[in-house]
Amino acid sequence: MTSKELQYLEDALGHEKFFQSKCNEVMSELSDEQLRSCVQQMAQKHQQIFSSLYGLL
């Protein structure tokens, strides 16, 4: 793997962690259960993507 590819993966991992933390932050502020569930699913999806990317390393 080239250094440029590694840099891309590092950036992507950072973005996925950021998206996941933002989803969790927003989820804690929501009172609508359907909306909370939707945001929770998004957080889980970002965790899955993070895990997949991390697996490439």
Side-chain angles (χ1 to χ4, degrees):
M1 194 175 288
T2 68
S3 62
K4 190 168 190 153
E5 290 169 328
L6 285 173
Q7 183 62 45
Y8 172 78
L9 284 175
E10 287 178 10
D11 289 347
L13 286 169
H15 291 154
E16 290 304 324
K17 267 299 188 201
F18 174 77
F19 294 146
Q20 183 184 9
S21 68
K22 283 299 172 184
C23 286
N24 288 330
E25 182 181 315
V26 168
M27 192 172 51
S28 70
E29 298 173 6
L30 295 172
S31 59
D32 183 283
E33 284 302 316
Q34 287 182 321
L35 195 51
R36 281 177 59 96
S37 176
C38 180
V39 174
Q40 182 179 23
Q41 289 174 4
M42 290 189 325
Q44 290 171 348
K45 185 64 177 175
H46 287 295
Q47 177 59 44
Q48 291 171 348
I49 294 169
F50 178 90
S51 296
S52 294
L53 290 171
Y54 192 77
L56 294 174
L57 299 175

